Amino acid sequence: MAVPRQIKIMLLFTLVGPPIAAIPFALILTTEGLGLGILAIVLSYPIGVIPTVIAGALFIMISRWLLNKRWFLSKQKAFFLGAICGAVGVLFLFILFNFLMYDSRSKTSFYNIYIPVVLLGFMSGGICGVLSLRHLDEKIASMEELKDLTQ
């Protein structure tokens, strides 16, 4: 039984996205000890599953709409689309945490990490977008056939 391409793309975003975003943190923490770097990778899943599911769903919806309009998604376009979706997923997580915080001091320290974490979501979503290109249309055997269909 074949797995639908939307599920494959969603699993790709969910399984690959959090560790990609956690790699910079893991590299920094490895200087203090190897266990801390591994811990950063392991903890990336419970923290990053919500943004990656949102990013994957957005990527599927927008890429399906673009393919219905007969737009060809190159690697650069898929990276940019995935990056925007990843940043939106992280922004949703920030909005959620912002509502949960009541103390103003914790909010200011929270805003200090805002831009770097959104950039990590941007990077992670972009990489997942490029990796999911081959799952967008499995009926097409090669990129040349896709180019012929979109012209």
Side-chain angles (χ1 to χ4, degrees):
M1 184 168 130
V3 178
R5 64 180 178 223
Q6 290 87 3
I7 294 174
K8 288 180 182 178
I9 292 172
M10 185 65 75
L11 285 174
L12 181 96
F13 268 82
T14 305
L15 296 176
V16 176
I20 289 174
I23 286 173
F25 288 125
L27 291 175
I28 292 169
L29 291 174
T30 304
T31 59
E32 296 295 323
L34 181 61
L36 290 175
I38 294 170
L39 184 66
I41 299 282
V42 171
L43 289 178
S44 69
Y45 284 105
I47 295 170
V49 74
I50 293 172
T52 55
V53 166
I54 292 170
L58 277 173
F59 185 84
I60 290 168
M61 289 187 309
I62 295 171
S63 63
R64 175 186 263 176
W65 180 76
L66 289 175
L67 288 176
N68 285 341
K69 297 287 184 187
R70 300 209 181 261
W71 281 33
F72 175 69
L73 281 178
S74 64
K75 286 185 181 180
Q76 293 86 7
K77 291 176 186 174
F79 179 85
F80 185 69
L81 176 61
I84 295 297
C85 293
V88 168
V90 172
L91 286 174
F92 175 79
L93 190 67
F94 273 118
I95 291 169
L96 179 69
F97 282 151
N98 194 22
F99 284 125
L100 295 176
M101 291 185 184
Y102 296 111
D103 187 18
S104 63
R105 288 185 306 173
S106 61
K107 281 189 179 182
T108 55
S109 63
F110 184 68
Y111 291 135
N112 290 339
I113 63 166
Y114 190 73
I115 292 175
V117 174
V118 169
L119 287 176
L120 289 175
F122 191 84
M123 175 193 65
S124 174
I127 292 171
C128 289
V130 171
L131 292 176
S132 66
L133 263 181
R134 67 185 184 115
H135 297 297
L136 283 176
D137 197 352
E138 295 176 341
K139 294 176 273 185
I140 297 172
S142 70
M143 295 305 271
E144 294 302 321
E145 291 178 28
L146 181 61
K147 286 180 185 176
D148 292 339
L149 283 175
T150 57
Q151 294 176 353

